[in-house]
Amino acid sequence: MSQGLEHSLTSWSGQALKHQTSWIDNLDARIRIVCAGLFAFVVVLSQFFVPALLGLLCALWLVKASQLNIKRTLRRVIAMDFFMLTLIVILPFTTPGDMMFTLFGFPASWQGLSHALLITIKANAVLLMLFSLVATMPATTLGYALAHLKVPDKLVHLLLFMVRYLEVISQEYKKMRRAMQARAFVMRTNRHTWKSIGYLFGMLLIRSVERAERIADAMKCRGFCGRYYLNNDMKIKSADVVFTTLFVFFLFLLIGLNIHDFYH
Amino acid sequence: MTSITNPLIQIKALDYAYPRRGKVLSHIDFALYEGERVAINGDNGVGKTTLLHLMVGLKKAKKGDIFGFGELCKTEKQFNQMRAQAGLLFQDPDDQLFCPTVLEDVMFGPLNLGFSKAQAIEKSLAILEKLGMKGFETRITHQLSGGEKRMITLACVLVMEPKVLLLDEPTNALDEKAKLRLLNVLKTLPQAMILISHDKLFSSQLMTRQLTLADAQLTEQTPTNIAVA
């Protein structure tokens, strides 16, 4: 468990997912965020398998196009699919409908299963779309783009500061963790472990607060009075227009399929 | 010369105490004049950093007056104006570099001083070039090495064109090469300086005056007992 904890805390310092450069990297960051958002909206509101599957196919194709490592991407998706698995197990029993089988006297319904599968497909489609369009940009670019999209300053700053100091705080965590290991600490399921880990996280919290105060002081020293400036100009290019047009057409197709299915 | 009579920073009868540690500074008098480079020596935890933070108003003195460039500083607003002219370099560069990229970090000060974006970029690029850090503008701040981070924090401070530099252990965790580079840069700067450093060799090469802080008192050190390690 400790291994997983350490990995998740250390490996990310705001860089994009590893990938070779592709035409998606050249698209405007704002366009990518908005397109991914609209896509999620349309797909999540889909009520039928055809548009959801089409969305999943499109997302898969974009993942391929963005030159992400397919194997590692799928591994990330599978992490989420474990949550979906519980959904598939539970939903047939909680949704009323035509009986599939009974377990200990509880009936499982076909409708529940199809509902769970539909949700799984939607979730996978949205996640893959986020991987290909949004996760392929560094977190700072994401912050800039959000600022240009008029997301409230405070949220953008929160994101940028988090990205900036996650690494620093995880370094502190690692330092303390190593100091514990140097004194022969091994994680076990006992009172001593819980107490020590409690101390560790308490200390981490205190250090983070103290660092935040020092940063605020440093900002004051340079005349900070409530405004934080971002320096990044973004321009829409013709490739962005083409991509957006095609993407919106595709979304209309999905919406159209939904309405069409609805009337049949 | 008016500069001889008017100290840049003057402290009169300053007192400071931490809640549980008792008096850290008691009745401190101190003045920094133009062209002076003063080293403050003292053991760990004796209150050197506290003194620097008091000078620029990051901590509030319990008693005593601080004059920054001839003006009495009491309120946050007054200190805010004096801080622009007294550049404080923090112990940990990570505390100081909080913007995503180097250029934004350096620009932060000038923008707060009211310069336009174009002016701020121009000033920042000029100072980076002067410190030999040209080409670092688009680098991500937390991916720099320790020595590079130190130089960038210096650029962040210098770009505001301060009259005084307050250096809080600037050589901490720097290797010999980075130290030498910092030393050479600091030697060329015209600003008056106050330096806290445990690196005797570094401070003796740079400083014109040595003070010692011990038992809450600041005392002058005669040049004979400067031990060069």
Side-chain angles (χ1 to χ4, degrees):
Chain A
M1 184 240 164
S2 69
Q3 205 57 44
L5 198 67
E6 253 139 79
H7 183 74
S8 64
L9 267 173
T10 54
S11 58
W12 192 70
S13 60
Q15 69 273 52
L17 286 182
K18 210 174 157 191
H19 64 288
Q20 265 107 44
T21 48
S22 67
W23 56 269
I24 289 181
D25 291 321
N26 294 328
L27 292 177
D28 189 277
R30 290 169 292 178
I31 298 285
R32 283 152 76 180
I33 293 169
V34 170
C35 283
L38 286 176
F39 176 84
F41 198 66
V42 171
V43 168
V44 168
L45 288 181
S46 295
Q47 288 167 337
F48 305 99
F49 275 96
V50 177
L53 278 171
L54 257 180
L56 183 63
L57 273 180
C58 169
L60 271 172
W61 177 70
L62 275 174
V63 165
K64 188 89 190 63
S66 66
Q67 302 275 357
L68 281 166
N69 185 328
I70 300 284
K71 224 165 140 192
R72 293 183 66 175
T73 309
L74 288 183
R75 213 180 297 156
R76 288 193 171 94
V77 174
I78 284 168
M80 181 202 67
D81 281 338
F82 275 115
F83 287 103
M84 291 296 144
L85 210 58
T86 54
L87 209 67
I88 293 175
V89 171
I90 291 168
L91 265 182
F93 293 100
T94 54
T95 315
D98 305 331
M99 199 174 72
M100 188 163 53
F101 60 87
T102 57
L103 189 72
F104 305 120
F106 292 106
S109 69
W110 286 109
Q111 277 82 352
L113 183 68
S114 77
H115 195 192
L117 284 177
L118 187 60
I119 292 176
T120 308
I121 291 169
K122 287 177 186 177
N124 279 299
V126 171
L127 197 66
L128 286 172
M129 184 58 77
L130 282 174
F131 278 147
S132 65
L133 288 187
V134 180
T136 44
M137 63 175 101
T140 42
T141 311
L142 178 64
Y144 292 141
L146 290 177
H148 280 283
L149 287 171
K150 301 275 179 274
V151 169
D153 279 353
K154 279 193 178 129
L155 293 179
V156 173
H157 298 164
L158 215 55
L159 176 76
L160 290 174
F161 272 89
M162 186 199 78
V163 170
R164 170 68 185 85
Y165 285 102
L166 200 65
E167 176 72 10
V168 174
I169 289 169
S170 87
Q171 287 290 345
E172 267 176 21
Y173 168 81
K174 270 195 283 181
K175 232 188 285 172
M176 285 192 279
R177 202 63 192 81
R178 248 180 261 129
M180 289 168 92
Q181 276 163 353
R183 288 195 277 158
F185 174 80
V186 182
M187 269 211 217
R188 294 199 183 91
T189 4
N190 58 20
R191 215 185 149 80
H192 173 67
T193 301
W194 299 328
K195 211 166 100 178
S196 308
I197 294 297
Y199 286 159
L200 172 68
F201 279 98
M203 207 59 209
L204 201 62
L205 208 63
I206 292 171
R207 287 194 188 191
S208 307
V209 169
E210 280 181 347
R211 185 176 289 278
E213 277 168 1
R214 289 201 301 273
I215 295 161
D217 281 350
M219 292 173 81
K220 270 199 227 162
C221 276
R222 290 202 268 152
F224 178 71
C225 41
R227 219 154 123 42
Y228 184 69
Y229 303 85
L230 293 174
N231 173 34
N232 189 296
D233 293 322
M234 294 187 167
K235 279 202 184 74
I236 301 278
K237 299 175 293 294
S238 56
D240 297 318
V241 179
V242 173
F243 177 78
T244 317
T245 318
L246 289 176
F247 202 86
V248 169
F249 265 121
F250 176 71
L251 290 183
F252 273 122
L253 176 72
L254 292 189
I255 296 170
L257 279 172
N258 267 308
I259 295 169
H260 182 76
D261 275 4
F262 190 73
Y263 285 113
H264 284 75
Chain B
M1 288 243 293
T2 50
S3 59
I4 298 298
T5 48
N6 293 330
L8 295 170
I9 291 181
Q10 192 172 23
I11 292 173
K12 282 182 181 164
L14 189 76
D15 275 11
Y16 192 80
Y18 280 109
R20 253 163 263 206
R21 259 169 59 189
K23 251 187 186 171
V24 183
L25 303 169
S26 155
H27 218 79
I28 301 277
D29 288 304
F30 169 77
L32 178 77
Y33 294 94
E34 210 159 290
E36 267 190 323
R37 291 171 180 168
V38 181
I40 299 178
N41 303 304
D43 298 334
N44 287 333
V46 83
K48 304 183 296 289
T49 300
T50 310
L51 183 61
L52 282 196
H53 285 194
L54 280 166
M55 274 181 203
V56 293
L58 293 177
K59 291 193 171 78
K60 293 281 170 279
K62 307 286 173 205
K63 238 196 259 165
D65 294 322
I66 294 162
F67 296 87
F69 313 98
E71 310 263 331
L72 177 66
C73 294
K74 278 274 180 219
T75 62
E76 176 66 24
K77 207 175 162 193
Q78 288 163 334
F79 271 118
N80 197 19
Q81 282 177 351
M82 89 86 84
R83 273 186 216 129
Q85 300 177 66
L88 175 60
L89 209 61
F90 280 61
Q91 245 178 59
D92 186 348
D94 269 321
D95 292 339
Q96 238 173 321
L97 302 173
F98 52 86
C99 300
T101 65
V102 167
L103 183 62
E104 273 160 328
D105 229 306
V106 182
M107 276 168 66
F108 180 77
L111 286 173
N112 284 330
L113 292 182
F115 287 100
S116 75
K117 206 162 166 176
Q119 285 171 316
I121 291 178
E122 195 183 318
K123 281 168 87 78
S124 307
L125 290 178
I127 206 83
L128 283 173
E129 184 162 8
K130 196 175 152 205
L131 293 182
M133 302 302 281
K134 202 179 168 192
F136 276 75
E137 305 89 72
T138 53
R139 292 280 294 275
I140 307 290
T141 46
H142 60 269
Q143 290 166 359
L144 299 173
S145 76
E148 288 164 353
K149 272 184 193 167
R150 184 41 87 205
M151 293 309 277
I152 299 298
T153 53
L154 190 62
C156 292
V157 167
L158 286 178
V159 77
M160 300 181 73
E161 294 166 1
K163 290 183 185 152
V164 176
L165 277 180
L166 309 172
L167 311 167
D168 194 349
E169 306 204 22
T171 57
N172 252 8
L174 289 191
D175 60 30
E176 290 305 321
K177 223 170 110 192
K179 241 185 240 181
L180 196 68
R181 188 169 177 196
L182 182 65
L183 185 71
N184 288 333
V185 167
L186 289 179
K187 269 182 179 166
T188 62
L189 295 177
Q191 279 94 346
M193 291 178 202
I194 300 177
L195 171 83
I196 294 175
S197 179
H198 293 290
D199 191 336
K200 285 275 165 24
L201 199 63
F202 185 84
S203 83
S204 66
Q205 284 192 54
L206 198 61
M207 295 294 125
T208 60
R209 214 171 122 199
Q210 301 270 343
L211 300 175
T212 302
L213 186 64
D215 304 322
Q217 299 291 324
L218 195 63
T219 48
E220 196 95 18
Q221 220 172 19
T222 48
T224 45
N225 51 10
I226 300 170
V228 177

